[in-house]
Amino acid sequence: MRIVIQRVSEASVEIEQKIVAQINQGLLVLVGIEEEDNLEDINWLVSKIINLRIFADENEVMNLSVKDIDGEIIAVSQFTLHALTKKGNRPSYIKAAKPDIAIPMYEKFVQQLEAELGKKIQTGQFGADMKVALVNDGPVTIIIDSKNKE
């Protein structure tokens, strides 16, 4: 699994001109799933997301997690995170999991985030054409791949 975490002061997801998810301070997490990803990848990434110390403390040092600040999270599925661009100019998405694998994995990922954060996780809609808006706070953007955990 590959994720892109963006620290935001606000973010939203719009589908067919309707806001389906909206948060204030917290994280926008873009989620890419590969066919060989499993529960171990989900557990490791959820722990990283919940405990990543990227919010400022009283001394303006990035020392607090999203849980520490009682922040919110939007998780958006994004198969393009697994784009292969080595050959030519048209990306290949062959490494991205097909919906029959990706949808249950994405749903489990969101459930795990909710369990760890202790609150509802806002989401986009798998496979939909989404308009994602955000104010990246910092900016802080972090890419994590569960295949690079060692």
Side-chain angles (χ1 to χ4, degrees), residues 42-51 65-68 71 73 108-121:
I42 290 173
N43 292 336
W44 186 78
L45 285 171
V46 165
S47 179
K48 279 290 187 190
I49 292 165
I50 297 299
N51 296 301
S65 70
V66 68
K67 197 167 188 173
D68 294 333
I73 296 175
K108 182 67 176 165
F109 175 79
V110 171
Q111 290 169 357
Q112 288 287 105
L113 274 176
E114 287 177 341
E116 292 295 320
L117 190 60
K119 64 169 67 172
K120 179 93 172 109
I121 300 299

Side-chain angles (χ1 to χ4, degrees), residues 37-106:
D37 290 332
N38 57 44
L39 189 56
E40 184 181 317
D41 296 297
I42 290 173
N43 292 336
W44 186 78
L45 285 171
V46 165
S47 179
K48 279 290 187 190
I49 292 165
I50 297 299
N51 296 301
L52 202 60
R53 296 175 5 190
I54 59 172
F55 292 91
D57 63 15
E58 65 277 356
N59 297 316
E60 296 302 315
V61 175
M62 285 198 289
N63 205 25
L64 301 174
S65 70
V66 68
K67 197 167 188 173
D68 294 333
I69 65 153
D70 195 30
E72 301 174 281
I73 296 175
I74 292 181
V76 176
S77 63
Q78 189 170 351
F79 73 94
T80 60
L81 292 180
H82 289 291
L84 299 173
T85 57
K86 194 171 186 175
K87 294 182 180 179
N89 293 316
R90 183 170 185 225
S92 168
Y93 304 106
I94 196 155
K95 291 189 75 168
K98 305 290 183 269
D100 62 319
I101 292 173
I103 292 171
M105 288 287 292
Y106 173 70

Side-chain angles (χ1 to χ4, degrees), residues 11-14 18-23 73-76 122-124:
S12 64
V13 178
E14 179 183 311
K18 180 181 176 205
I19 300 291
V20 298
Q22 189 168 19
I23 64 168
I73 296 175
I74 292 181
V76 176
Q122 301 280 323
T123 64

